[in-house]
Amino acid sequence: MNKFGQTLNELRLEMNISRRELARRLNVSERLIAYWESGQRECNFDTLIAIADIFSTSVDYLLGRTDY
């Protein structure tokens, strides 16, 4: 698992958001969320920003560039 995938998984579990719910909010498939979390695929910039907004965090945090 890459840093983004690990962080996404941790945030999702901490906020009690299922893959299904996150996929619905982002208009993507649940499988794509699983791919991101496992590091098999990467999301695009617009989706990365949307994920940061959903979790009220920064893109830098999602990418492992900052600790908060």
mmCIF file of all heavy atoms in Angstrom, residues 8-34 36-37 51 54-55:
data_model
loop_
_atom_site.group_PDB
_atom_site.id
_atom_site.type_symbol
_atom_site.label_atom_id
_atom_site.label_comp_id
_atom_site.label_asym_id
_atom_site.label_seq_id
_atom_site.Cartn_x
_atom_site.Cartn_y
_atom_site.Cartn_z
ATOM 1 N N LEU A 8 -5.803 7.303 2.744
ATOM 2 C CA LEU A 8 -7.203 7.272 2.337
ATOM 3 C C LEU A 8 -7.968 6.229 3.140
ATOM 4 O O LEU A 8 -9.051 6.501 3.660
ATOM 5 C CB LEU A 8 -7.312 6.988 0.835
ATOM 6 C CG LEU A 8 -8.730 6.854 0.277
ATOM 7 C CD1 LEU A 8 -9.527 8.138 0.499
ATOM 8 C CD2 LEU A 8 -8.674 6.486 -1.195
ATOM 9 N N ASN A 9 -7.404 5.053 3.260
ATOM 10 C CA ASN A 9 -8.049 3.980 4.025
ATOM 11 C C ASN A 9 -8.237 4.374 5.484
ATOM 12 O O ASN A 9 -9.315 4.191 6.052
ATOM 13 C CB ASN A 9 -7.223 2.693 3.905
ATOM 14 C CG ASN A 9 -7.856 1.551 4.641
ATOM 15 O OD1 ASN A 9 -7.515 1.293 5.805
ATOM 16 N ND2 ASN A 9 -8.763 0.864 3.989
ATOM 17 N N GLU A 10 -7.206 4.930 6.096
ATOM 18 C CA GLU A 10 -7.287 5.333 7.498
ATOM 19 C C GLU A 10 -8.339 6.419 7.714
ATOM 20 O O GLU A 10 -9.139 6.336 8.651
ATOM 21 C CB GLU A 10 -5.923 5.811 8.001
ATOM 22 C CG GLU A 10 -4.920 4.698 8.141
ATOM 23 C CD GLU A 10 -3.505 5.183 8.412
ATOM 24 O OE1 GLU A 10 -3.279 6.421 8.507
ATOM 25 O OE2 GLU A 10 -2.613 4.330 8.515
ATOM 26 N N LEU A 11 -8.348 7.427 6.860
ATOM 27 C CA LEU A 11 -9.335 8.501 6.990
ATOM 28 C C LEU A 11 -10.751 7.971 6.804
ATOM 29 O O LEU A 11 -11.672 8.339 7.546
ATOM 30 C CB LEU A 11 -9.067 9.609 5.964
ATOM 31 C CG LEU A 11 -7.880 10.517 6.235
ATOM 32 C CD1 LEU A 11 -7.620 11.409 5.026
ATOM 33 C CD2 LEU A 11 -8.115 11.358 7.479
ATOM 34 N N ARG A 12 -10.914 7.123 5.822
ATOM 35 C CA ARG A 12 -12.234 6.563 5.538
ATOM 36 C C ARG A 12 -12.760 5.774 6.738
ATOM 37 O O ARG A 12 -13.909 5.940 7.158
ATOM 38 C CB ARG A 12 -12.154 5.679 4.290
ATOM 39 C CG ARG A 12 -13.491 5.221 3.765
ATOM 40 C CD ARG A 12 -13.331 4.442 2.478
ATOM 41 N NE ARG A 12 -12.492 3.277 2.606
ATOM 42 C CZ ARG A 12 -12.852 2.146 3.228
ATOM 43 N NH1 ARG A 12 -14.023 2.045 3.788
ATOM 44 N NH2 ARG A 12 -12.017 1.119 3.287
ATOM 45 N N LEU A 13 -11.888 4.955 7.337
ATOM 46 C CA LEU A 13 -12.299 4.166 8.495
ATOM 47 C C LEU A 13 -12.534 5.037 9.722
ATOM 48 O O LEU A 13 -13.492 4.808 10.474
ATOM 49 C CB LEU A 13 -11.261 3.078 8.786
ATOM 50 C CG LEU A 13 -11.116 2.003 7.692
ATOM 51 C CD1 LEU A 13 -9.989 1.055 8.039
ATOM 52 C CD2 LEU A 13 -12.422 1.263 7.479
ATOM 53 N N GLU A 14 -11.679 6.030 9.940
ATOM 54 C CA GLU A 14 -11.843 6.943 11.079
ATOM 55 C C GLU A 14 -13.170 7.692 11.012
ATOM 56 O O GLU A 14 -13.804 7.933 12.037
ATOM 57 C CB GLU A 14 -10.700 7.964 11.128
ATOM 58 C CG GLU A 14 -9.401 7.427 11.629
ATOM 59 C CD GLU A 14 -8.273 8.442 11.505
ATOM 60 O OE1 GLU A 14 -8.539 9.651 11.304
ATOM 61 O OE2 GLU A 14 -7.107 8.017 11.609
ATOM 62 N N MET A 15 -13.580 8.061 9.809
ATOM 63 C CA MET A 15 -14.821 8.816 9.650
ATOM 64 C C MET A 15 -16.013 7.900 9.403
ATOM 65 O O MET A 15 -17.123 8.381 9.152
ATOM 66 C CB MET A 15 -14.672 9.835 8.521
ATOM 67 C CG MET A 15 -13.662 10.918 8.848
ATOM 68 S SD MET A 15 -13.671 12.268 7.678
ATOM 69 C CE MET A 15 -15.273 12.974 7.952
ATOM 70 N N ASN A 16 -15.754 6.584 9.462
ATOM 71 C CA ASN A 16 -16.820 5.588 9.300
ATOM 72 C C ASN A 16 -17.567 5.764 7.973
ATOM 73 O O ASN A 16 -18.793 5.741 7.922
ATOM 74 C CB ASN A 16 -17.786 5.645 10.484
ATOM 75 C CG ASN A 16 -18.594 4.372 10.613
ATOM 76 O OD1 ASN A 16 -18.147 3.310 10.205
ATOM 77 N ND2 ASN A 16 -19.777 4.484 11.164
ATOM 78 N N ILE A 17 -16.787 5.959 6.911
ATOM 79 C CA ILE A 17 -17.341 6.086 5.566
ATOM 80 C C ILE A 17 -16.987 4.812 4.804
ATOM 81 O O ILE A 17 -15.823 4.440 4.700
ATOM 82 C CB ILE A 17 -16.765 7.317 4.835
ATOM 83 C CG1 ILE A 17 -17.165 8.600 5.556
ATOM 84 C CG2 ILE A 17 -17.225 7.358 3.386
ATOM 85 C CD1 ILE A 17 -16.550 9.856 4.975
ATOM 86 N N SER A 18 -17.987 4.141 4.288
ATOM 87 C CA SER A 18 -17.747 2.912 3.530
ATOM 88 C C SER A 18 -17.171 3.244 2.156
ATOM 89 O O SER A 18 -17.277 4.384 1.672
ATOM 90 C CB SER A 18 -19.051 2.138 3.359
ATOM 91 O OG SER A 18 -19.941 2.853 2.522
ATOM 92 N N ARG A 19 -16.609 2.243 1.540
ATOM 93 C CA ARG A 19 -16.141 2.432 0.163
ATOM 94 C C ARG A 19 -17.314 2.803 -0.723
ATOM 95 O O ARG A 19 -17.186 3.635 -1.619
ATOM 96 C CB ARG A 19 -15.472 1.163 -0.360
ATOM 97 C CG ARG A 19 -14.072 0.966 0.145
ATOM 98 C CD ARG A 19 -13.428 -0.242 -0.491
ATOM 99 N NE ARG A 19 -12.077 -0.408 0.024
ATOM 100 C CZ ARG A 19 -11.458 -1.566 0.091
ATOM 101 N NH1 ARG A 19 -12.038 -2.666 -0.340
ATOM 102 N NH2 ARG A 19 -10.239 -1.639 0.568
ATOM 103 N N ARG A 20 -18.449 2.183 -0.475
ATOM 104 C CA ARG A 20 -19.645 2.465 -1.276
ATOM 105 C C ARG A 20 -20.034 3.940 -1.160
ATOM 106 O O ARG A 20 -20.319 4.595 -2.159
ATOM 107 C CB ARG A 20 -20.796 1.584 -0.823
ATOM 108 C CG ARG A 20 -22.091 1.866 -1.580
ATOM 109 C CD ARG A 20 -23.154 0.908 -1.196
ATOM 110 N NE ARG A 20 -22.739 -0.393 -1.715
ATOM 111 C CZ ARG A 20 -23.497 -1.462 -1.772
ATOM 112 N NH1 ARG A 20 -24.712 -1.421 -1.319
ATOM 113 N NH2 ARG A 20 -23.036 -2.593 -2.266
ATOM 114 N N GLU A 21 -20.047 4.457 0.068
ATOM 115 C CA GLU A 21 -20.428 5.854 0.281
ATOM 116 C C GLU A 21 -19.424 6.800 -0.368
ATOM 117 O O GLU A 21 -19.803 7.776 -1.022
ATOM 118 C CB GLU A 21 -20.557 6.152 1.777
ATOM 119 C CG GLU A 21 -20.821 7.607 2.105
ATOM 120 C CD GLU A 21 -22.119 8.154 1.551
ATOM 121 O OE1 GLU A 21 -23.024 7.370 1.200
ATOM 122 O OE2 GLU A 21 -22.238 9.395 1.458
ATOM 123 N N LEU A 22 -18.133 6.526 -0.182
ATOM 124 C CA LEU A 22 -17.119 7.383 -0.793
ATOM 125 C C LEU A 22 -17.219 7.339 -2.310
ATOM 126 O O LEU A 22 -17.138 8.373 -2.987
ATOM 127 C CB LEU A 22 -15.716 6.979 -0.325
ATOM 128 C CG LEU A 22 -14.569 7.838 -0.829
ATOM 129 C CD1 LEU A 22 -14.753 9.307 -0.436
ATOM 130 C CD2 LEU A 22 -13.239 7.311 -0.309
ATOM 131 N N ALA A 23 -17.425 6.158 -2.844
ATOM 132 C CA ALA A 23 -17.582 6.010 -4.299
ATOM 133 C C ALA A 23 -18.778 6.809 -4.796
ATOM 134 O O ALA A 23 -18.709 7.475 -5.834
ATOM 135 C CB ALA A 23 -17.734 4.537 -4.659
ATOM 136 N N ARG A 24 -19.873 6.780 -4.049
ATOM 137 C CA ARG A 24 -21.067 7.532 -4.434
ATOM 138 C C ARG A 24 -20.776 9.030 -4.436
ATOM 139 O O ARG A 24 -21.122 9.737 -5.379
ATOM 140 C CB ARG A 24 -22.215 7.220 -3.467
ATOM 141 C CG ARG A 24 -23.533 7.871 -3.871
ATOM 142 C CD ARG A 24 -24.580 7.785 -2.782
ATOM 143 N NE ARG A 24 -24.232 8.538 -1.583
ATOM 144 C CZ ARG A 24 -24.284 9.865 -1.464
ATOM 145 N NH1 ARG A 24 -24.642 10.606 -2.495
ATOM 146 N NH2 ARG A 24 -23.958 10.462 -0.334
ATOM 147 N N ARG A 25 -20.083 9.506 -3.396
ATOM 148 C CA ARG A 25 -19.769 10.941 -3.311
ATOM 149 C C ARG A 25 -18.853 11.405 -4.434
ATOM 150 O O ARG A 25 -18.930 12.546 -4.891
ATOM 151 C CB ARG A 25 -19.116 11.261 -1.973
ATOM 152 C CG ARG A 25 -20.043 11.167 -0.802
ATOM 153 C CD ARG A 25 -19.321 11.606 0.446
ATOM 154 N NE ARG A 25 -20.087 11.355 1.650
ATOM 155 C CZ ARG A 25 -19.723 11.797 2.848
ATOM 156 N NH1 ARG A 25 -18.621 12.511 3.003
ATOM 157 N NH2 ARG A 25 -20.451 11.530 3.904
ATOM 158 N N LEU A 26 -17.961 10.514 -4.870
ATOM 159 C CA LEU A 26 -16.993 10.867 -5.911
ATOM 160 C C LEU A 26 -17.455 10.478 -7.313
ATOM 161 O O LEU A 26 -16.767 10.760 -8.291
ATOM 162 C CB LEU A 26 -15.643 10.197 -5.612
ATOM 163 C CG LEU A 26 -14.940 10.653 -4.344
ATOM 164 C CD1 LEU A 26 -13.752 9.752 -4.044
ATOM 165 C CD2 LEU A 26 -14.503 12.106 -4.464
ATOM 166 N N ASN A 27 -18.590 9.772 -7.389
ATOM 167 C CA ASN A 27 -19.122 9.291 -8.657
ATOM 168 C C ASN A 27 -18.132 8.363 -9.374
ATOM 169 O O ASN A 27 -17.847 8.527 -10.570
ATOM 170 C CB ASN A 27 -19.537 10.464 -9.545
ATOM 171 C CG ASN A 27 -20.480 10.032 -10.646
ATOM 172 O OD1 ASN A 27 -21.260 9.095 -10.479
ATOM 173 N ND2 ASN A 27 -20.400 10.696 -11.781
ATOM 174 N N VAL A 28 -17.584 7.423 -8.593
ATOM 175 C CA VAL A 28 -16.689 6.396 -9.131
ATOM 176 C C VAL A 28 -17.153 5.042 -8.594
ATOM 177 O O VAL A 28 -18.061 4.973 -7.772
ATOM 178 C CB VAL A 28 -15.203 6.641 -8.736
ATOM 179 C CG1 VAL A 28 -14.717 7.966 -9.283
ATOM 180 C CG2 VAL A 28 -15.012 6.572 -7.233
ATOM 181 N N SER A 29 -16.510 3.974 -9.011
ATOM 182 C CA SER A 29 -16.891 2.644 -8.528
ATOM 183 C C SER A 29 -16.208 2.322 -7.196
ATOM 184 O O SER A 29 -15.151 2.874 -6.879
ATOM 185 C CB SER A 29 -16.513 1.576 -9.561
ATOM 186 O OG SER A 29 -15.105 1.433 -9.612
ATOM 187 N N GLU A 30 -16.834 1.421 -6.445
ATOM 188 C CA GLU A 30 -16.222 0.948 -5.203
ATOM 189 C C GLU A 30 -14.880 0.283 -5.494
ATOM 190 O O GLU A 30 -13.937 0.406 -4.720
ATOM 191 C CB GLU A 30 -17.124 -0.067 -4.512
ATOM 192 C CG GLU A 30 -18.364 0.508 -3.908
ATOM 193 C CD GLU A 30 -19.234 -0.567 -3.303
ATOM 194 O OE1 GLU A 30 -18.755 -1.286 -2.394
ATOM 195 O OE2 GLU A 30 -20.392 -0.695 -3.753
ATOM 196 N N ARG A 31 -14.821 -0.429 -6.595
ATOM 197 C CA ARG A 31 -13.593 -1.128 -6.971
ATOM 198 C C ARG A 31 -12.458 -0.133 -7.174
ATOM 199 O O ARG A 31 -11.309 -0.406 -6.817
ATOM 200 C CB ARG A 31 -13.831 -1.940 -8.243
ATOM 201 C CG ARG A 31 -12.678 -2.820 -8.592
ATOM 202 C CD ARG A 31 -12.621 -3.999 -7.628
ATOM 203 N NE ARG A 31 -11.337 -4.643 -7.758
ATOM 204 C CZ ARG A 31 -10.594 -5.048 -6.738
ATOM 205 N NH1 ARG A 31 -11.015 -4.927 -5.520
ATOM 206 N NH2 ARG A 31 -9.435 -5.597 -6.931
ATOM 207 N N LEU A 32 -12.746 1.026 -7.734
ATOM 208 C CA LEU A 32 -11.718 2.038 -7.941
ATOM 209 C C LEU A 32 -11.179 2.537 -6.600
ATOM 210 O O LEU A 32 -9.971 2.732 -6.455
ATOM 211 C CB LEU A 32 -12.256 3.202 -8.782
ATOM 212 C CG LEU A 32 -11.235 4.240 -9.236
ATOM 213 C CD1 LEU A 32 -10.061 3.596 -9.968
ATOM 214 C CD2 LEU A 32 -11.909 5.288 -10.107
ATOM 215 N N ILE A 33 -12.057 2.697 -5.622
ATOM 216 C CA ILE A 33 -11.615 3.083 -4.276
ATOM 217 C C ILE A 33 -10.648 2.020 -3.744
ATOM 218 O O ILE A 33 -9.588 2.346 -3.201
ATOM 219 C CB ILE A 33 -12.811 3.243 -3.307
ATOM 220 C CG1 ILE A 33 -13.829 4.255 -3.815
ATOM 221 C CG2 ILE A 33 -12.318 3.580 -1.894
ATOM 222 C CD1 ILE A 33 -13.377 5.677 -3.863
ATOM 223 N N ALA A 34 -10.992 0.756 -3.918
ATOM 224 C CA ALA A 34 -10.126 -0.341 -3.471
ATOM 225 C C ALA A 34 -8.777 -0.304 -4.196
ATOM 226 O O ALA A 34 -7.728 -0.533 -3.580
ATOM 227 C CB ALA A 34 -10.809 -1.684 -3.686
ATOM 228 N N TRP A 36 -7.293 2.375 -5.394
ATOM 229 C CA TRP A 36 -6.529 3.487 -4.824
ATOM 230 C C TRP A 36 -5.925 3.093 -3.489
ATOM 231 O O TRP A 36 -4.757 3.371 -3.228
ATOM 232 C CB TRP A 36 -7.410 4.711 -4.621
ATOM 233 C CG TRP A 36 -7.917 5.358 -5.861
ATOM 234 C CD1 TRP A 36 -7.391 5.265 -7.129
ATOM 235 C CD2 TRP A 36 -9.048 6.204 -5.972
ATOM 236 N NE1 TRP A 36 -8.138 6.005 -8.011
ATOM 237 C CE2 TRP A 36 -9.165 6.596 -7.328
ATOM 238 C CE3 TRP A 36 -9.982 6.674 -5.070
ATOM 239 C CZ2 TRP A 36 -10.175 7.440 -7.777
ATOM 240 C CZ3 TRP A 36 -10.991 7.512 -5.524
ATOM 241 C CH2 TRP A 36 -11.075 7.888 -6.864
ATOM 242 N N GLU A 37 -6.721 2.457 -2.651
ATOM 243 C CA GLU A 37 -6.244 2.093 -1.316
ATOM 244 C C GLU A 37 -5.123 1.057 -1.374
ATOM 245 O O GLU A 37 -4.234 1.058 -0.533
ATOM 246 C CB GLU A 37 -7.398 1.586 -0.451
ATOM 247 C CG GLU A 37 -8.338 2.706 -0.054
ATOM 248 C CD GLU A 37 -9.479 2.262 0.839
ATOM 249 O OE1 GLU A 37 -9.649 1.045 1.068
ATOM 250 O OE2 GLU A 37 -10.208 3.153 1.327
ATOM 251 N N ILE A 51 -11.415 14.492 -2.727
ATOM 252 C CA ILE A 51 -11.172 13.631 -1.558
ATOM 253 C C ILE A 51 -10.700 14.480 -0.386
ATOM 254 O O ILE A 51 -11.169 14.302 0.748
ATOM 255 C CB ILE A 51 -10.153 12.524 -1.899
ATOM 256 C CG1 ILE A 51 -10.764 11.532 -2.886
ATOM 257 C CG2 ILE A 51 -9.690 11.806 -0.627
ATOM 258 C CD1 ILE A 51 -9.764 10.564 -3.499
ATOM 259 N N ILE A 54 -13.716 16.216 1.046
ATOM 260 C CA ILE A 54 -14.594 15.305 1.784
ATOM 261 C C ILE A 54 -14.056 15.057 3.187
ATOM 262 O O ILE A 54 -14.808 15.043 4.161
ATOM 263 C CB ILE A 54 -14.772 13.973 1.024
ATOM 264 C CG1 ILE A 54 -15.651 14.191 -0.209
ATOM 265 C CG2 ILE A 54 -15.369 12.882 1.934
ATOM 266 C CD1 ILE A 54 -15.679 13.020 -1.175
ATOM 267 N N PHE A 55 -12.746 14.885 3.296
ATOM 268 C CA PHE A 55 -12.138 14.560 4.586
ATOM 269 C C PHE A 55 -11.606 15.793 5.318
ATOM 270 O O PHE A 55 -10.952 15.662 6.356
ATOM 271 C CB PHE A 55 -11.034 13.524 4.405
ATOM 272 C CG PHE A 55 -11.571 12.172 4.005
ATOM 273 C CD1 PHE A 55 -11.379 11.690 2.723
ATOM 274 C CD2 PHE A 55 -12.285 11.397 4.903
ATOM 275 C CE1 PHE A 55 -11.876 10.450 2.342
ATOM 276 C CE2 PHE A 55 -12.792 10.165 4.535
ATOM 277 C CZ PHE A 55 -12.590 9.690 3.247
#
